Amino acid sequence: MNAGLLGVGKYVPSHILTNQDLENRMDTSDEWIRTMTGIEERRIADEETDTSHMAHDAAVEAIKDAGIKPEEIGLIIVATVTPDRPFPSVSSMLQYQLGAVNAAAMDVSAACAGFMYGIVTAKQFVESGTYDYVLVVGVEKLSKITDWEDRNTAVLFGDGAGATVVGKVSEGRGILSFELGADGSGGKHLYQDDKLKMNGREVFKFAVRQMGQTALNVIEKAGLAKEDVDYLIPHQANIRIMEASRERLGLPVEKMSKTIHKYGNTSSASIPISLVDDLADGKIKDDDIVVFVGFGGGLVWGGLCMRWGK
Ligand code: ACO
């Protein structure tokens, strides 16, 4: 019996911050941002909208899509590095707001790989028979830790949330394999010290190497070959990193998810937000082999290979 994804949802703030807007605020250009990152615009939440609000709206959509009731959820996992406050956890706030009266709640801190860590944790609880349904949310309000004086990082990030309900799926479908990993020696390259700090070049080198390798590892662990992959959803950090992973799998352009131009890097929310848009656009069909792969501050990474469908 495999665990799979039963429903999905997302929330992105309505306010759009374009590259042109940033040109007016700092020494940068639309051309530099597009060429170096693939980003054209990103969403920024207003003061009143905190991480838990975005998580809530994405979660409500995912629960509805899964066709379950909040009281049926056994565990809520929220992946975030930008909680409303250090505690109570965003997941506890969500448990109350949703009326998920039978759910345990915990937050996971694994930066941009957080959603992968969340899904893999959910899978263990579902496949062991502990919980029927686990709600997993990836959510960030990165704008509150962005250093708006630092052009190296200010142009990269956006706010948003993506959610999914993990539960049992039919034979042969669901999560076939996964990989999680960490290399804490790289923690110095990407961290929060009041504001977010990043050595972009070091993170870039790590990401190019690790994203492709993790994708290949999960394909092999699933007993499949690169040629079997129908769709790749990489963490939307930088189009050049994403392209390197796609090329390593030998996939054509249309088989890789690309939403970075619309939302920038939304960290743990980027993979589920992309998944929601790709499903709406009909890019993923039942029984497709889909590979997800993410990396982030820690340094950490995570990937999984699944056969889509309930
Ligand atoms: N506008 C204009 N010029 C800029 C900007 C900007 N916004 N930012 C940097 N530059 C300049 C630099 O000052 C430098 O100029 P110089 O050569 O005169 O010194 C030049 O552009 C090149 O800068 P680099 O930082 O060396 O460029 P690089 O090729 O490394 O690209 C980038 C920078 C896009 C940040 C890249 O390193 C990258 O994407 N790294 C990975 C980031 C990432 O994926 N982070 C995800 C993790 S997020 C998380 O976990 C929360």
Side-chain angles (χ1 to χ4, degrees):
M1 186 269 289
N2 282 339
L5 310 188
L6 303 178
V8 296
K10 75 162 197 217
Y11 170 86
V12 290
S14 56
H15 176 64
I16 296 173
L17 182 69
T18 65
N19 290 349
Q20 283 78 15
D21 295 332
L22 288 168
E23 270 184 14
N24 299 333
R25 279 170 78 156
M26 61 186 75
D27 181 18
T28 189
S29 68
D30 174 47
E31 210 223 318
W32 191 94
I33 303 171
R34 268 175 208 258
T35 317
M36 298 298 276
T37 73
I39 301 166
E40 294 170 20
E41 57 189 44
R42 69 288 288 144
R43 303 299 180 97
I44 303 292
D46 59 28
E47 289 235 336
E48 291 74 49
T49 307
D50 213 336
T51 303
S52 61
H53 305 116
M54 297 192 284
H56 172 266
D57 286 14
V60 166
E61 211 175 277
I63 291 166
K64 189 169 172 229
D65 192 38
I68 64 162
K69 295 191 184 72
E71 22 323 356
E72 293 179 275
I73 298 168
L75 173 66
I76 299 173
I77 301 174
V78 173
T80 187
V81 292
T82 51
D84 298 40
R85 50 185 70 82
F87 70 92
S89 60
V90 176
S91 49
S92 299
M93 297 166 80
L94 206 52
Q95 184 267 348
Y96 174 62
Q97 290 163 6
L98 293 170
V101 290
N102 298 307
M106 65 174 175
D107 286 7
V108 166
S109 173
C112 307
F115 190 72
M116 292 293 96
Y117 270 74
I119 297 274
V120 170
T121 305
K123 166 186 154 72
Q124 312 306 323
F125 281 112
V126 169
E127 292 184 2
S128 66
T130 311
Y131 300 123
D132 290 338
Y133 303 107
V134 180
L135 172 67
V136 182
V137 184
V139 55
E140 303 291 357
K141 189 176 180 184
L142 288 164
S143 59
K144 66 184 175 185
I145 62 162
T146 299
D147 179 355
W148 293 101
E149 304 297 315
D150 175 16
R151 69 172 182 174
N152 291 290
T153 53
V155 303
L156 303 175
F157 301 105
D159 300 333
T164 189
V165 174
V166 179
K168 292 180 206 111
V169 293
S170 51
E171 178 97 33
R173 287 179 171 172
I175 301 163
L176 305 174
S177 64
F178 70 88
E179 176 180 286
L180 299 178
D183 176 6
S185 70
K188 57 185 179 283
H189 300 314
L190 180 55
Y191 59 96
Q192 186 193 343
D193 186 7
D194 184 28
K195 297 295 176 192
L196 185 147
K197 306 268 192 305
M198 181 176 74
N199 178 340
R201 195 153 280 187
E202 286 301 321
V203 177
F204 189 91
K205 280 194 289 188
F206 157 75
V208 165
R209 195 178 60 241
Q210 194 62 52
M211 291 264 275
Q213 192 55 51
T214 297
L216 289 173
N217 292 349
V218 294
I219 294 165
E220 195 188 327
K221 281 184 189 175
L224 298 169
K226 289 193 291 191
E227 296 69 31
D228 298 318
V229 176
D230 295 298
Y231 204 65
L232 170 68
I233 307 189
H235 168 46
Q236 310 279 307
N238 180 314
I239 190 70
R240 293 182 290 146
I241 298 171
M242 293 156 54
E243 284 295 332
S245 315
R246 181 181 68 73
E247 280 163 19
R248 204 138 164 222
L249 298 193
L251 288 174
V253 178
E254 65 276 10
K255 290 196 170 188
M256 180 183 76
S257 180
K258 184 173 95 62
T259 58
I260 189 169
H261 58 295
K262 296 189 280 187
Y263 307 124
N265 178 352
T266 58
S267 190
S268 65
S270 95
I271 291 176
I273 287 176
S274 295
L275 176 61
V276 171
D277 284 12
D278 292 335
L279 287 167
D281 293 343
K283 291 183 180 166
I284 300 170
K285 300 177 300 300
D286 275 357
D287 292 316
D288 276 356
I289 295 294
V290 185
V291 171
F292 299 74
V293 61
F295 71 94
L299 299 167
V300 289
W301 63 91
L304 58 88
C305 179
M306 68 183 302
R307 188 180 295 279
W308 187 258
K310 293 191 191 178

